[in-house]
């Protein structure tokens, strides 16, 4: 048996479907974000502008976050030393959990080594412990939620994306058995936002529990960065809020926040929590600093929204097919896997702009796109450069530019704000 040939053939299938992934070798530079150094395959090194980072608020580069990490590493060492049970419960981790419980107005929080693992552990355990549980899962839920649901062994039904009528139909049909509604607050590939309050209302009416992934919203929305549920004033109506420390909070790890009995049950039953080494104290200390800073980060969030709205406005005004949504995500439709990859390559090679192509299975076939994520550190001049480069690539690839489309509005309140922001401004705003 030729084992190697089997793997080579599997890779060949991905290549044939234009789904084979190529990583770009980058070196982020905290002093010059959004610029990074790119190590080219030919051995050359060049500066590129990153336009697809999920470190949405650049907290991974924030001097106070880095200082907290350095100080904790110097004091407590590089690693955690064990699982939570076996000497891995370092004090910075306990302090981080208290900070997160406070952020979401919940009794307790539990930290995991990633957001992916938190969904595996959270959904996997809750769905397993509820006898005869039916999990109602949004059609566009993230892979980590799907894996958690599978892991739980519970029966699963999928409701059409953000479709309240379909969800209600399934709730009604389910009768009296325990039910768990699993959904996201902000869907990262489309940028649309769930009707969180209405889903919570339905849950109450049909005696279902709610589990909401706020991974792409924590730090970014709400008066203290608690996410969409905080923004909409419905945090108390969601039973379990799941988040990441790796995007808005710029570090690594994930968590769930909920009533203390639910947290204790997941802590006590989830293998993906029990049998793995804890997050290092330095990462926990850095994450806690980011969460604390963003509790006072209203002006930074405004600057983020301004740059995202300006990017959408400028791209759509130039005829580029921005997929409209109410969030900070800027998806631009290409609609073809090969052209999407070619557009990404051309942006990198011709314009030193890095935007990863988003292809199937992350999005449906025919909806391939470039997913752009402006940050508060992308200045107006970077946006002007991006628009120019995108138009050039669209013309070179003979992709359609639509000058008759409705231009995404640039809200007036942002027009007065400055288009250049630094961490010094953030600090001023936080004081
Ligand atoms: C909706 C959603 N949930 C969970 C995760 C996993 O989070 P993490 O990157 O912290 O593992 C992601 C990752 O992109 C995500 O998009």
């Amino acid at each position: 048996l030729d084992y190697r040939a089997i793997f080579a053939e599997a890779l060949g299938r991905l290549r044939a479907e234009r789904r084979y992934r190529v990583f770009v070798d980058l070196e982020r530079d905290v002093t010059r974000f959004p610029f990074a150094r790119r190590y080219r395959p030919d051995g050359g090194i060049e500066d590129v502008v990153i336009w697809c980072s999920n470190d949405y608020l650049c907290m991974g580069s924030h001097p106070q976050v880095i200082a907290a990490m350095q100080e904790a590493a110097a004091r407590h060492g590089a690693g955690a030393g064990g699982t939570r049970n076996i000497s891995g419960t370092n004090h910075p981790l306990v302090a981080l959990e208290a900070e997160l419980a406070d952020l979401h107005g919940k009794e307790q929080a539990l930290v995991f080594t990633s957001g992916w693992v938190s969904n595996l552990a959270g959904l996997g355990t809750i769905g397993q412990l509820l006898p005869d549980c039916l999990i109602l899962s949004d059609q566009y839920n993230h892979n980590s939620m799907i894996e958690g649901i599978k892991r739980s062994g519970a029966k699963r039904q999928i409701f059409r994306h953000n479709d309240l009528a379909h969800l209600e139909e399934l709730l009604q049909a389910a009768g009296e058995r325990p039910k768990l509604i699993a959904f996201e607050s902000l869907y990262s590939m489309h940028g649309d936002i769930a009707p969180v309050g209405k889903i919570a209302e339905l849950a109450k009416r049909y005696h279902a529990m709610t589990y909401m992934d706020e991974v792409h919203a924590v730090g970014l929305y709400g008066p203290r960065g608690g996410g969409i549920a905080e923004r909409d004033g419905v945090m108390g109506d969601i039973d379990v809020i799941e988040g990441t420390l790796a995007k808005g909070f710029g570090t690594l790890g994930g968590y769930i926040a909920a009533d203390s009995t639910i947290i204790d049950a997941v802590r006590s039953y989830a293998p993906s929590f029990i049998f793995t080494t804890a997050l290092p104290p330095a990462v926990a200390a850095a994450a806690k600093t980011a969460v604390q800073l963003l509790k006072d980060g209203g002006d930074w969030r405004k600057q983020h929204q301004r740059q995202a709205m300006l990017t959408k406005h400028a791209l759509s005004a130039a005829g580029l097919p921005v997929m409209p949504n109410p969030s900070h995500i800027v998806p631009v439709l290409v609609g073809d896997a090969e052209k999407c990859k070619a557009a990404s390559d051309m942006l990198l090679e011709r314009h030193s702009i890095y935007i990863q192509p988003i292809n199937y299975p992350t999005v449906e076939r025919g909806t391939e796109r470039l997913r752009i994520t402006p940050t508060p550190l992308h200045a107006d001049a970077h946006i002007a450069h991006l628009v120019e480069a995108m138009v050039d690539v669209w013309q070179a690839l003979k992709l359609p530019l639509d000058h008759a489309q409705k231009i995404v509005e640039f809200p007036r309140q942002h027009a007065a704000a400055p288009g250049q922001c630094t961490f010094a401004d953030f600090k001023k705003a936080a004081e």
Side-chain angles (χ1 to χ4, degrees):
L1 191 62
D2 186 351
Y3 291 107
R4 210 171 166 281
I6 294 171
F7 297 116
E9 200 258 324
L11 289 169
R13 285 199 299 274
L14 290 182
R15 283 199 180 88
E17 291 181 26
R18 307 283 167 229
R19 294 207 282 129
Y20 181 74
R21 291 164 197 245
V22 181
F23 297 157
V24 176
D25 184 358
L26 297 175
E27 187 178 81
R28 290 207 311 178
D29 181 343
V30 289
T31 62
R32 293 192 313 132
F33 189 85
F35 289 98
R37 268 180 296 278
R38 174 188 172 215
Y39 290 80
R40 301 172 55 97
D42 62 12
I45 300 175
E46 66 172 1
D47 269 354
V48 297
V49 185
I50 299 185
W51 273 104
C52 59
S53 170
N54 279 342
D55 184 357
Y56 295 123
L57 298 172
C58 311
M59 295 310 285
S61 306
H62 195 290
Q64 284 169 261
V65 174
I66 297 170
M69 182 175 263
Q70 285 170 330
E71 198 206 330
R75 286 177 61 187
H76 311 298
T83 66
R84 289 296 291 274
N85 193 32
I86 305 174
S87 84
T89 300
N90 290 280
H91 187 66
L93 202 43
V94 177
L96 170 62
E97 288 177 338
E99 198 67 51
L100 291 166
D102 170 75
L103 176 68
H104 293 291
K106 300 290 180 199
E107 285 177 359
Q108 236 177 310
L110 189 67
V111 166
F112 303 84
T113 42
S114 76
W116 197 94
V117 172
S118 14
N119 276 331
L120 183 76
L123 283 165
T125 308
I126 293 167
Q128 182 200 346
L129 291 179
L130 287 173
D132 191 32
C133 178
L134 171 68
I135 300 183
L136 299 168
S137 173
D138 186 282
Q139 171 189 4
Y140 288 162
N141 274 345
H142 186 255
N143 164 272
S144 53
M145 302 179 77
I146 296 166
E147 294 292 336
I149 294 168
K150 276 191 199 154
R151 169 94 211 174
S152 76
K155 183 170 160 48
R156 173 184 71 158
Q157 284 181 343
I158 294 170
F159 61 94
R160 285 190 294 275
H161 178 54
N162 280 346
D163 186 333
L164 292 167
H166 191 210
L167 175 59
E168 180 159 19
E169 207 179 287
L170 297 178
L171 282 165
Q172 228 161 22
E176 290 306 307
R177 69 193 291 186
K179 298 169 283 295
L180 176 67
I181 306 172
F183 64 109
E184 298 179 28
S185 64
L186 195 160
Y187 291 82
S188 76
M189 293 300 151
H190 306 74
D192 59 341
I193 292 176
V196 179
K198 293 209 166 86
I199 292 178
E201 262 173 45
L202 277 180
K204 208 166 173 187
R205 196 171 326 142
Y206 291 94
H207 308 293
M209 261 184 81
T210 43
Y211 180 108
M212 184 165 81
D213 176 312
E214 285 254 37
V215 158
H216 293 276
V218 286
L220 283 73
Y221 294 87
R224 296 201 311 157
I228 298 296
E230 190 199 20
R231 186 198 72 174
D232 293 356
V234 294
M235 241 166 21
D237 298 331
I238 301 296
D239 294 305
V240 184
I241 293 178
E242 184 270 341
T244 184
L245 303 168
K247 301 186 198 292
F249 299 130
T251 53
L252 183 72
Y255 62 92
I256 55 171
D259 159 290
S260 58
T261 314
I262 297 175
I263 296 294
D264 204 16
V266 176
R267 183 187 75 89
S268 307
Y269 276 94
S272 49
F273 176 80
I274 297 170
F275 297 106
T276 189
T277 298
L279 209 62
V283 177
K288 188 186 87 169
T289 303
V291 175
Q292 282 173 332
L293 281 166
L294 287 172
K295 283 181 177 172
D296 277 328
D299 284 353
W300 198 238
R301 276 186 282 280
K302 263 190 218 145
Q303 180 67 18
H304 176 229
Q305 289 294 322
R306 181 195 186 275
Q307 299 319 92
M309 297 309 140
L310 184 62
T311 306
K312 285 182 187 181
H313 172 75
L315 289 171
S316 63
L320 288 145
V322 173
M323 300 166 81
N325 68 55
S327 76
H328 60 285
I329 310 275
V330 187
V332 179
L333 183 70
V334 179
D336 176 276
E338 208 148 336
K339 285 198 169 162
C340 197
K341 172 84 172 73
S344 167
D345 288 347
M346 207 177 267
L347 282 167
L348 192 59
E349 296 304 334
R350 272 160 87 142
H351 300 282
S352 301
I353 281 177
Y354 172 54
I355 306 173
Q356 193 63 21
I358 308 287
N359 286 345
Y360 177 83
T362 309
V363 295
E364 285 157 1
R365 286 186 218 273
T367 71
E368 292 82 1
R369 66 200 65 173
L370 296 178
R371 175 182 178 270
I372 300 170
T373 52
T375 72
L377 293 181
H378 285 91
D380 292 2
H382 297 127
I383 297 173
H385 171 231
L386 172 73
V387 174
E388 211 175 275
M390 294 274 286
V391 169
D392 173 61
V393 165
W394 248 245
Q395 285 171 343
L397 292 174
K398 299 198 170 29
L399 285 163
L401 288 165
D402 180 3
H403 294 286
Q405 73 180 323
K406 191 168 178 298
I407 297 170
V408 179
E409 193 194 337
F410 182 52
R412 257 162 203 268
Q413 80 262 21
H414 291 313
Q420 172 73 60
C421 206
T422 64
F423 283 127
D425 301 324
F426 181 16
K427 196 152 173 278
K428 238 187 340 208
E431 275 162 7

